[in-house]
Amino acid sequence: MQEQREQWGTRAGFLLAAIGSAVGLGNIWRFPYVAYENGGGAFLLPYLVALLTAGIPLLILEYTIGHKYRASPPTAFLRLSKPAQPIGWWQVIICFVIAVYYALIIAWAVMFTGFSVGTSWGDDPEAFLFEDFLRLSDAPTGEFSYVGAVAVPLIAVWVVTLAVLAIGVRRGIERAARIFIPLLAVLFLILVGRALTLPGASAGLDALFSPDWSAITDGSVWVAAYGQIFFSLSVGFGIMITYASYLRRRADLSGSALVAGFANSSFEILAGIGVFATLGFMAASTGEPVGEVATSGIGLAFVAFPEIISSMPAGEVFGVVFFASLTIAGLTSLISIVQVVVASVADRTGLRRVPAVLIVGGVTAVVSIVLFPTTHGVHFLDVVDHFINQYGIALAGLVAVVVVAWLVRGLKPLSDHANESSAVRVGLLWRITLGVVTPVVLGWMMWDSLSAELAENYEGYSTGFLLGAGWAVAIGAIVGGIVLSLLPWKGGRQPEPATTDVEGVQR
């Protein structure tokens, strides 16, 4: 006997979980630098346009697919149109790949929360991170060894993640979101408040928000804006389809997308204020321009911020709050990513939640623990993250939109479904943005990225390593999605009977 599909306890619980998925590490360490590099305050205009013409329409689309077909991506796309099923499995594989390395960064944040007490990184945070803590090898070749200081917190991260998932959607994911998201908001407000009081904070904010209006005419700035919105909202790899499948029959889909989209963007702007106010302090302390100390990613979080923490009054407290915020933001996103994999296998096999979490989540955790807490781990993380983002998430999103909008011609029936219970109705404008604007922008992003990729090797890595750890993962996700869709799944929730929509398209 199959379990009845779980449901969120309240709309607020769903929204907190959706916001928790969207608000992740990239909001804190990617958005501020992207904005700074692409026109500063002027970047907010294309960013807002991208949010309204791609981000929120894509959220509404994914919410509606999940809610209408009440399933995780593979089954939802199967019920939409049988040939579309590989897209769902493609998204599942993307989530699996992201989960195995995303947990590693959370484990670093856990350790650096402790390192902040006593500023264990000493006078050279970069050497401490890569040599003392990660014991990073010079190149991803030859022998490697496991790093216990990384493996132990990584195991702890997976124990917490799988425990939350095993408890269930309402009692596990929703309760965790109700605790983590308000806590994250409080911690980050404290962090930003302290950053704004630092000497030099105003110079950092001027660097971030002073508009360079000439950037508006630069096409790469608009591509960067759409890319940031696309990657920060957790669209394109099945999370929002899965989460929306647990909504009640009467749900405000478009209103929820507006709340989640603007909440995510508000957090990004808040993160930008906190990060650049802090970088302004660092610039004032060293006598360098803000542009010389501005960075992003791992370098910002685990090198630049420790340097700042060491030099500021009460820096240890600031460090604990910052890295605790990273940990919480990462955990809420990781939970949502693994949930896609667990739910998809459960939907197609009929496995109950606890066995599905233990088997599917357990395999994901084992792969993560075996591959990444090693002296080669950062090299693999860097390359896999780059290729799965550029040629996994973005390409999967592009294919999904083209298939739904043009091949299946499903936007009209999906908009009708969304309008049945949504406060904000969607219509022709929504269909135009998804059918024209989003495919054009995503297609241009793919072309631009691929052109740069073929011009020179990413970060100077060898061609063999990029083929084995980068292209193999990206292409393998596509092939794997097709293969999984062809398997004769037994015992799972069967597709709903085919229906004919108002445009005559059989699904």
Side-chain angles (χ1 to χ4, degrees), residues 8 10-19 63 174 240 243-244 247 256:
W8 300 105
T10 62
R11 182 188 179 214
F14 161 69
L15 284 173
L16 286 171
I19 292 168
Y63 285 177
E174 183 171 341
M240 294 309 171
Y243 270 15
L247 284 167
S256 297

Side-chain angles (χ1 to χ4, degrees), residues 78-90:
L78 175 60
R79 291 172 177 171
L80 173 70
S81 175
K82 188 174 181 180
Q85 186 188 3
I87 299 172
W89 284 115
W90 183 7

Side-chain angles (χ1 to χ4, degrees), residues 340-380:
V340 175
V341 187
V342 170
S344 297
V345 174
D347 279 352
R348 299 302 290 139
T349 62
L351 278 173
R352 292 181 175 272
R353 169 161 289 275
V354 173
V357 170
L358 293 178
I359 295 171
V360 180
V363 169
T364 310
V366 167
V367 173
S368 175
I369 293 165
V370 168
L371 288 181
F372 286 95
T374 72
T375 50
H376 288 353
V378 178
H379 297 302
F380 283 109

Side-chain angles (χ1 to χ4, degrees), residues 241-468:
I241 292 176
T242 304
Y243 270 15
S245 73
Y246 303 116
L247 284 167
R248 299 178 187 276
R249 289 288 181 183
R250 302 290 295 178
D252 186 353
L253 302 177
S254 58
S256 297
L258 286 167
V259 171
F262 280 107
N264 175 73
S265 294
S266 298
F267 188 88
E268 286 196 318
I269 294 172
L270 184 65
I273 292 171
V275 166
F276 267 82
T278 309
L279 291 175
F281 166 77
M282 183 178 181
S285 301
T286 60
E288 298 177 320
V290 174
E292 293 297 319
V293 299
T295 184
S296 64
I298 294 172
L300 172 68
F302 299 102
V303 177
F305 261 82
E307 289 179 358
I308 297 166
I309 291 163
S310 295
S311 61
M312 71 166 56
E316 294 181 10
V317 176
F318 187 90
V320 169
V321 173
F322 176 73
F323 288 110
S325 298
L326 280 185
T327 301
I328 294 170
L331 270 175
T332 55
S333 296
L334 180 63
I335 288 168
S336 68
I337 293 167
V338 181
Q339 172 62 17
V340 175
V341 187
V342 170
S344 297
V345 174
D347 279 352
R348 299 302 290 139
T349 62
L351 278 173
R352 292 181 175 272
R353 169 161 289 275
V354 173
V357 170
L358 293 178
I359 295 171
V360 180
V363 169
T364 310
V366 167
V367 173
S368 175
I369 293 165
V370 168
L371 288 181
F372 286 95
T374 72
T375 50
H376 288 353
V378 178
H379 297 302
F380 283 109
L381 183 154
D382 184 27
V383 172
V384 172
D385 175 65
H386 172 73
F387 278 84
I388 204 67
N389 273 283
Q390 296 298 325
Y391 310 107
I393 298 174
L395 185 57
L398 172 61
V399 172
V401 169
V402 170
V403 168
V404 173
W406 294 103
L407 300 185
V408 178
R409 302 182 66 81
L411 290 181
K412 181 61 169 64
L414 288 171
S415 67
D416 291 342
H417 179 84
N419 289 334
E420 288 177 2
S421 56
S422 295
V424 180
R425 296 179 63 84
V426 295
L428 180 61
L429 181 60
W430 179 74
R431 298 197 296 274
I432 290 174
T433 57
L434 286 175
V436 179
V437 176
T438 302
V440 168
V441 172
L442 287 178
W444 175 258
M445 285 171 55
M446 291 302 305
W447 173 258
D448 185 63
S449 178
L450 189 59
S451 298
E453 205 75 56
L454 297 177
E456 60 179 312
N457 284 2
Y458 172 69
E459 293 295 330
Y461 286 112
S462 69
T463 301
F465 181 64
L466 291 179
L467 288 173

Side-chain angles (χ1 to χ4, degrees), residues 143-196:
E143 296 182 356
F144 66 92
S145 59
Y146 284 91
V147 183
V150 179
V152 171
L154 180 59
I155 293 171
V157 166
W158 278 112
V159 168
V160 171
T161 301
L162 298 185
V164 169
L165 291 172
I167 295 172
V169 170
R170 183 183 300 185
R171 293 184 301 139
I173 300 174
E174 183 171 341
R175 284 184 180 178
R178 286 181 176 276
I179 296 170
F180 287 152
I181 300 307
L183 179 59
L184 176 62
V186 170
L187 288 175
F188 220 77
L189 285 172
I190 293 171
L191 188 77
V192 172
R194 177 68 183 102
L196 290 173

